């Protein structure tokens, strides 16, 4: 049995795992994870979920220990899959949330490579599948931006689940049986459950792909003449199988309803507008890309930077192979041209949405604002490029038929090139130990104001909270001693009232009280749909404490048992019912499909059970590149910058401007020092803390006329979007500015200056030379306006 199973496994998967080694190597070779990326938030969310599950709340929608212990419904609104994948590891002995989140990143990258290989292999062959896997997993956004620069575990996982779902649906379309049907439904649900925004985007792409297949079937004149469930037919007609693909998509949506339906029905119960603040960091208007940046090469990372500079680019290999696929399609050197055309059109649409020209679309479709960053679509664009890269490889192999060297070496060369072009992003800056993960540390971080409830914009706070109340020592004080948070407002509790607290489960607390007269029992607990209060087993109506949104319970005189428990709502029960019905229908359909011929869909018969010569050459090339990278290039430091002292290696102009012996400006990069009226001139400043800072300084960049008149400026609350009080003494801070010149600016020579100040008090840091103040700003360069 075991030998038969191994015989049916495509050995090409092992080649794909080898291809992905460099992509996952930073996670495998280094301990812990960095702080101050979004990974930190996901680690503490996973830790909170682990506490709740261990306490008996297996699908909690409320995080009780966040927001200074007042709690908030992050698990009701945030896609849960990444945390439950992490929980599979976090619950193991000797594993913690840090290791579990790291495992999630590795799973996402491996799933991206394996899923993309499977889909492209089934459509164009094993060699093209290898190329597609390499192009996808080494796309800059997939390889570095999401898992390292941003640390967004759910989004990284979604990038891996999407190609798996696409592959399963494609197998189902081609005649897959019961196992493929179940896999397709569950992976469709997983796409939706992986990430709120990317799940919606990827589900839309899957639906568009299914519609495209139906249109292709109809255009070929194929009629639905056979019954879908003919027991003697493993290959029913095209349109019938496209129909079952739609059924899988619909049931996948239904299976995931327990998550998305309450999000939709209870969307007004929390604050969401902070996610789309006008003019702020989450305003999509400020995050469009230029075509130049998208097609640029990746930068070498600088280990000496607090946040190494990188580009939001597609990757040269990625867009180059996509263009080649389109050329070969027009040249009619492509198999499955309809598939190629779909992914080319999808790529074009995604690229359009990342460019400023698409602003009317973003403004016209209100839901688009929640995507926040147009560059977020780079992940989906990378998937489209990867499929096109596989198709392009197949076209090149067709063109090179009869040429043995082309057939043997082409795949190896293309895979190696994809990995080599991804090497600059294979060396993220080293990180230290993340530290202990516990509720106390989470609470202390909240107390610093860096974030609240693992969010930085007060999103998902119950709408009944008018003003987020300050931290209460009586609530969080017990954490140090290992006691549960005390959510009783003792300050207003009548002194004659006796009260005993029993924690039944994390989301169920019992209070035994004895009171001589009726009173209002006030709690430090945000009210939200789902909280139920029972007195002596009878549900009672609660009052709302304003403006903090706390639960207030009217308690009659006498001895009573008060149960405060987080339960369900009609919306959540309806969603659970939809999920249950969808699972039943999935099972019934699987039972029906079992009558088909043996389900060999994941072992396509068109592939040999052993690797062919081109596959071995590809494997050898991949292992050689991997060995040279890990054993030679990485130790020598050739793949990255390593700025130290008062030097920023990426700066095109080095300098040293001492501001009050607190902060030094050590360089700048000005790509253009000539402009025309109305231009937007980019500028990068490189700052370095000289001493530990206890003030958050603001930065200004001024463009001054010869007479000193201010004509343009760029001000920031935090240089490099990084509060100076948190600056390390060992790393510089890169600070981007864009100087918008007035359209009526007269031609001439203008001085570009920079400095630091304290906005709240109105004073500037002095510019020192040999300890003597010579001004309060430094001139950088002369801007010539023509």
């Amino acid at each position: 049995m075991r030998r038969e199973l191994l015989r049916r496994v495509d050995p090409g998967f092992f080649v794909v795992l080898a291809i992905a080694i460099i992509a996952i190597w930073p996670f495998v070779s280094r301990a812990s994870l960095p702080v101050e990326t979004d990974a930190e938030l996901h680690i503490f969310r996973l830790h909170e979920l682990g506490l709740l599950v261990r306490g008996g709340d297996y699908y909690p929608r409320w995080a009780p220990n966040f927001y200074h212990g007042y709690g908030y419904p992050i698990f009701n609104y945030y896609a849960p899959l990444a945390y439950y994948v992490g929980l599979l590891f976090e619950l193991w002995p000797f594993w913690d949330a840090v290791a579990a989140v790291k495992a999630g990143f590795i799973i996402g990258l491996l799933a991206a490579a394996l899923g993309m290989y499977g889909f492209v292999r089934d459509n164009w062959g094993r060699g093209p599948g290898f190329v597609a896997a390499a192009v996808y997993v080494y796309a800059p956004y997939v390889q570095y931006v999401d898992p390292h620069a941003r640390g967004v575990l759910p989004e990284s996982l979604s990038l891996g689940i999407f190609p798996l779902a696409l592959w399963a649906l494609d197998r189902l379309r081609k005649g897959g049986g019961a196992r493929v049907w179940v896999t397709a439904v569950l992976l469709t649900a997983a796409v939706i459950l992986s990430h709120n925004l990317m799940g919606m985007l990827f589900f839309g792409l899957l639906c568009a792909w299914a519609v495209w297949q139906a249109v292709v079937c109809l255009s070929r004149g194929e009629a639905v003449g056979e019954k879908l469930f003919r027991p003697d037919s493993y290959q029913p007609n095209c349109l019938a199988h496209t129909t079952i693909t739609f059924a899988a998509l619909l049931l996948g949506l239904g299976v995931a309803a327990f998550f998305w339906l309450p999000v939709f029905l209870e969307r007004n119960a929390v604050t969401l507008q902070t996610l789309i603040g006008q003019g702020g960091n989450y305003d999509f208007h400020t995050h469009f890309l230029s075509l130049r940046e998208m097609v640029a090469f990746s930068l070498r990372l600088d280990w000496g930077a607090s946040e190494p500079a990188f580009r939001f680019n597609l990757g040269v290999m990625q867009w180059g192979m996509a263009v080649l696929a389109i050329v070969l399609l027009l040249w009619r050197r492509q198999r499955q041209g309809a598939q190629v055309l779909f992914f080319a059109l999808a790529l074009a649409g995604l690229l359009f949405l990342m460019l400023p020209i698409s602003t009317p679309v973003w403004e016209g479709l209100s839901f688009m604002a929640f995507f926040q960053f147009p560059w977020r679509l780079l992940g989906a664009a990378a998937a489209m490029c990867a499929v096109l890269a596989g198709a392009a490889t197949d076209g090149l192999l067709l063109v090179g038929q009869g040429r043995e060297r082309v057939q043997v070496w082409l795949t190896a060369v293309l895979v190696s090139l994809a990995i080599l072009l991804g090497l600059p992003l294979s060396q993220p800056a080293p990180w230290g130990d993340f530290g202990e993960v516990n509720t106390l540390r989470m609470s202390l971080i909240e107390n610093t104001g860096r974030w609240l409830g693992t969010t930085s914009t007060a999103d998902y706070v119950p709408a009944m909270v008018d003003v987020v109340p300050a931290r209460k020592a009586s609530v969080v004080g017990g954490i140090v001693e290992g006691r549960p948070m005390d959510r009783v407002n003792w300050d207003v509790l009548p002194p004659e009232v006796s009260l005993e607290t029993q924690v039944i489960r994390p989301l169920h607390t019992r209070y035994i009280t004895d009171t001589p007269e009726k009173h209002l029992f006030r709690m430090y607990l945000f009210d939200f749909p789902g909280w139920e209060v029972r007195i002596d087993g009878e549900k009672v109506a609660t009052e709302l404490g304003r403006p903090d949104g706390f639960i207030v319970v009217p308690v009659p005189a006498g001895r009573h048992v008060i149960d405060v428990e987080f339960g369900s709502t009609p919306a959540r029960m309806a969603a659970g019912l939809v999920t249950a019905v969808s699972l039943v229908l999935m099972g019934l359909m699987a039972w029906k499909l079992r009558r088909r011929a043996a389900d060999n869909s994941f072992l396509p018969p068109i592939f040999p059970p052993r690797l062919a010569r081109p596959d071995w050459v590809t494997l050898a090339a991949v292992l050689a590149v991997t060995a040279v990278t890990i054993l030679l290039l990485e130790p020598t430091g050739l793949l990255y910058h390593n700025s130290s002292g008062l030097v920023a290696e990426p700066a095109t102009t080095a300098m040293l401007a001492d501001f009050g012996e607190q902060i030094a400006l050590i360089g700048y990069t000005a790509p253009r020092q000539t402009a025309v009226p109305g231009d937007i001139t980019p500028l990068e400043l490189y700052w370095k803390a000289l001493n530990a800072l206890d003030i958050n300084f603001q930065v200004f960049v001024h463009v001054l006329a010869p007479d000193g008149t201010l004509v343009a400026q760029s001000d920031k609350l935090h240089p490099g979007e990084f509060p100076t009080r948190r600056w390390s003494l060992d790393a510089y801070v890169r600070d981007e500015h864009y100087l918008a010149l007035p359209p009526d600016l007269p031609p001439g020579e203008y001085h570009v200056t920079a400095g630091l100040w304290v906005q709240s008090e109105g004073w500037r840091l002095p510019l020192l030379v040999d300890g003597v103040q010579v001004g309060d700003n430094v001139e950088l360069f002369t801007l010539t306006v023509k």
Side-chain angles (χ1 to χ4, degrees), residues 8-152:
R8 295 177 60 189
V9 172
D10 177 11
F13 288 118
F14 298 103
V15 180
V16 175
L17 292 176
I19 289 172
I21 288 176
I22 292 178
I24 66 173
W25 186 249
F27 292 117
V28 173
S29 62
R30 302 178 186 178
S32 198
L33 283 174
V35 295
E36 297 194 353
T37 70
D38 281 5
E40 179 181 28
L41 310 180
H42 300 304
I43 287 168
F44 281 105
R45 288 177 190 170
L46 177 57
H47 172 71
E48 179 82 346
L49 178 63
L51 293 177
L52 291 165
V53 169
R54 288 181 178 91
D57 290 298
Y58 301 111
Y59 189 72
R61 296 177 182 270
W62 184 266
N65 296 315
F66 292 152
Y67 264 88
H68 302 313
Y70 310 141
Y72 84 132
I74 182 66
F75 296 130
N76 190 57
Y77 292 93
Y78 208 93
L81 182 63
Y83 305 118
Y84 279 89
V85 170
L87 196 63
L88 297 176
F89 298 92
E90 198 264 352
L91 292 175
W92 291 4
F94 311 111
W95 280 66
D96 63 4
V98 177
V101 167
K102 179 187 288 189
F105 282 121
I106 294 173
I107 290 171
L109 288 166
L110 293 179
L114 294 171
M116 188 58 67
Y117 167 75
F119 175 75
V120 173
R121 178 204 65 178
D122 285 5
N123 285 280
W124 289 281
R126 184 180 279 167
F130 293 151
V131 174
V135 166
Y136 190 38
V137 81
Y138 289 101
Y141 194 84
V142 178
Q143 176 195 2
Y144 175 77
V145 176
D146 239 12
H148 292 289
R150 301 182 63 215
V152 186

Side-chain angles (χ1 to χ4, degrees), residues 470-517:
R471 179 184 180 90
K472 300 290 184 182
S474 63
V475 177
V476 299
I479 301 177
V480 179
E481 302 171 5
R483 293 186 286 106
M485 294 195 182
D486 186 352
R487 298 181 175 87
V488 176
N489 188 339
W490 295 99
D491 294 335
V492 298
L493 190 70
E496 63 274 14
V497 175
S498 65
L499 187 70
E500 177 187 346
T501 304
Q502 298 177 356
V503 178
I504 310 301
R505 295 194 324 275
L507 298 181
H508 180 188
T509 303
R510 177 171 295 160
Y511 300 96
I512 301 174
T513 182
D514 195 346
T515 174
E517 56 185 38

Side-chain angles (χ1 to χ4, degrees), residues 297-301 309-311 313 424-425 639 641 684 734:
F297 284 91
S298 296
L299 299 171
R300 281 198 301 164
L301 302 173
F310 62 89
R311 288 183 172 132
N313 57 333
L425 298 178
L639 298 176
H641 296 291
E684 295 177 358
R734 175 175 162 271

Side-chain angles (χ1 to χ4, degrees), residues 216-255:
V216 170
C217 288
L218 290 172
S219 67
R220 291 173 179 170
E222 296 192 35
V224 187
E226 297 178 325
K227 291 184 178 180
L228 186 58
F229 301 114
R230 281 185 56 184
D232 58 341
S233 175
Y234 182 66
Q235 292 290 341
N237 65 74
C238 170
L239 191 57
H241 266 287
T242 301
T243 302
I244 200 174
T245 302
F246 283 115
L249 288 167
L250 181 61
L251 284 187
L253 183 66
V255 169

Side-chain angles (χ1 to χ4, degrees), residues 659-683:
F659 285 93
E661 298 182 343
Q662 301 293 306
I663 299 175
L665 181 61
I666 60 175
Y668 67 88
T669 296
R672 299 192 302 272
Q673 298 190 15
T674 60
V676 297
D679 266 1
I680 297 179
T681 301
L683 174 65

Side-chain angles (χ1 to χ4, degrees), residues 337-618:
Q339 288 265 41
V340 176
L341 182 57
F342 170 79
F343 289 103
L345 292 174
L347 175 61
L350 292 167
L351 295 180
F352 167 76
L353 289 173
M354 288 185 281
L355 296 171
I357 194 174
S358 67
T359 299
V361 176
W362 287 77
E363 292 176 342
L365 301 175
S366 58
F367 70 89
M368 291 289 289
F370 288 98
F371 277 85
Q372 301 169 326
F373 315 118
W375 46 254
R376 194 194 292 270
L377 305 183
L378 281 169
M384 305 302 106
C385 287
V387 175
L388 293 173
T393 304
D394 180 62
L396 292 175
L397 290 171
L398 290 176
V399 172
Q401 278 184 338
R403 301 177 183 177
E404 183 179 0
R405 288 187 177 181
V406 172
Q407 301 297 314
V408 171
W409 287 96
L410 178 64
T411 299
V413 170
L414 292 177
V415 169
S416 299
L417 186 58
I419 298 175
L420 290 171
L421 288 173
L423 289 184
L425 298 178
S426 69
Q427 305 293 311
W431 54 75
D433 182 60
F434 185 87
E436 192 173 359
V437 181
N438 52 44
T439 303
L440 174 60
R441 183 181 175 195
M442 179 275 300
S443 180
L444 292 175
I445 294 175
E446 287 192 328
N447 192 41
T448 66
R450 184 146 57 91
W451 43 256
L452 273 174
T454 66
T455 54
S456 58
T457 57
D459 37 309
Y460 306 122
V461 173
M464 290 174 281
V465 177
D466 300 321
V467 178
V468 176
R471 179 184 180 90
K472 300 290 184 182
S474 63
V475 177
V476 299
I479 301 177
V480 179
E481 302 171 5
R483 293 186 286 106
M485 294 195 182
D486 186 352
R487 298 181 175 87
V488 176
N489 188 339
W490 295 99
D491 294 335
V492 298
L493 190 70
E496 63 274 14
V497 175
S498 65
L499 187 70
E500 177 187 346
T501 304
Q502 298 177 356
V503 178
I504 310 301
R505 295 194 324 275
L507 298 181
H508 180 188
T509 303
R510 177 171 295 160
Y511 300 96
I512 301 174
T513 182
D514 195 346
T515 174
E517 56 185 38
K518 65 178 182 179
H519 71 280
L520 293 178
F521 176 42
R522 298 181 180 272
M523 303 183 65
Y524 289 126
L525 178 65
F526 287 150
D527 199 358
F528 182 74
W531 278 115
E532 296 179 354
V533 177
R534 296 184 301 276
I535 297 181
D536 301 329
E538 296 293 328
K539 185 176 179 180
V540 298
T542 61
E543 298 178 9
L544 181 65
R546 294 286 190 179
D548 41 37
F550 290 142
I551 293 176
V552 179
V553 184
V555 180
R559 183 176 177 84
H560 303 286
V561 176
I562 305 173
D563 285 283
V564 181
E565 184 175 8
F566 192 81
S568 191
T569 63
R572 295 166 207 163
M573 289 188 287
L577 180 61
V578 173
T579 294
V581 171
S582 299
L583 288 171
V584 169
L585 292 176
M586 180 189 73
L588 292 174
M589 182 72 86
W591 180 82
K592 191 79 172 177
L593 290 172
R594 87 195 193 288
R595 299 163 56 193
R596 285 189 179 178
D599 182 1
N600 295 319
S601 52
F602 282 104
L603 288 315
I606 59 175
F607 301 108
R610 297 180 180 179
L611 296 178
R613 184 185 175 193
D615 307 327
W616 282 110
V617 171
T618 300

